[in-house]
Amino acid sequence: MSASQHELLVERAESLDDMDLADLCEATDAAIIEGGGFGWVEPQGREALARHFRGVLLVPGCELFIARLDGVPVGSAQLIRPPRNNEAQAFGAQLTHAYIAPYARGHGPARLLVRRVEERAAALGHRVLNLDVRETQSTAIALFEALGYTRWGTHPAYARVRGRTVAGHYYHKLLEPPHGRPLDMRAGAPQN
């Protein structure tokens, strides 16, 4: 493998060993410090982040995806499915907390991470994937728009970051059903 080639892998996590958890916490704090991809504004440290990720693994309707570069966790994303009592919106899901550590960007893990979440959502029968992102995260915005996400709205007072109010953009993407089944968004159409 040349210096410019890296092994990329994205997997759905059902558990995290101590080494992976430590690497994931480091990647998360690096992304927070750089200002991208997570709701936190200040680094949280390993203990707080470890509790967070262990908790995510326990939440029903939430799936954690880990992006790896050369076998090392460098980012993550979460797929959030609607609760069972929200049948009206069961066709959609939410992509949230997606980020890649700054030192791993430019090698392709972000694009692969989003694609794997999309594939899983489609396989679960979801036909729409929603997400939101701060206006300050221009790299993430460019990625989502390049991957076919449609911006449908902007909230002018979306978040407070270091004493400044920033806007946030809302996106959606229609997902292709697996195995070539036609996408039918009409009311009452089977959603699998």
Side-chain angles (χ1 to χ4, degrees):
M1 179 176 330
S2 74
S4 64
Q5 293 179 329
H6 293 276
E7 179 187 350
L8 299 176
L9 175 68
V10 172
E11 58 191 357
R12 191 165 45 97
E14 296 186 14
S15 64
L16 291 167
D17 65 30
D18 288 340
M19 181 175 280
D20 280 349
L21 189 57
D23 290 335
L24 185 58
C25 291
E26 177 184 320
T28 304
D29 265 344
I32 293 167
I33 290 166
E34 190 268 340
F38 223 86
W40 281 299
V41 176
E42 300 297 329
Q44 298 297 300
R46 182 171 183 218
E47 187 176 319
L49 290 173
R51 279 193 312 272
H52 167 76
F53 285 114
R54 285 185 184 116
V56 166
L57 293 173
L58 299 175
V59 176
C62 180
E63 295 186 9
L64 178 64
F65 291 77
I66 306 296
R68 294 177 184 272
L69 182 67
D70 298 330
V72 178
V74 295
S76 71
Q78 295 172 32
L79 174 64
I80 310 293
R81 299 184 317 271
R84 290 187 57 161
N85 68 327
N86 191 353
E87 289 178 330
Q89 293 181 335
F91 69 98
Q94 181 84 20
L95 168 61
T96 188
H97 297 304
Y99 67 94
I100 297 295
Y103 51 81
R105 294 180 189 158
H107 301 289
R111 182 176 294 272
L112 184 61
L113 179 62
V114 174
R115 290 282 190 217
R116 291 297 179 261
V117 173
E118 290 173 354
E119 290 167 2
R120 175 67 176 161
L124 290 170
H126 300 295
R127 298 299 170 250
V128 176
L129 196 55
N130 299 299
L131 63 88
D132 51 271
V133 61
R134 291 192 308 255
E135 69 176 345
T136 55
Q137 297 170 324
S138 56
T139 303
I141 290 168
L143 172 69
F144 293 131
E145 290 179 357
L147 290 174
Y149 284 81
T150 301
R151 185 187 306 182
W152 60 265
T154 298
H155 188 309
Y158 172 83
R160 293 282 294 170
V161 179
R162 294 182 171 81
R164 185 176 142 234
T165 301
V166 298
H169 303 304
Y170 291 86
Y171 289 86
H172 79 280
K173 182 176 182 179
L174 299 179
L175 301 175
E176 291 295 324
H179 311 298
R181 291 190 301 259
L183 179 63
D184 192 344
M185 297 302 297
R186 293 174 300 170
Q191 299 299 317
N192 297 5

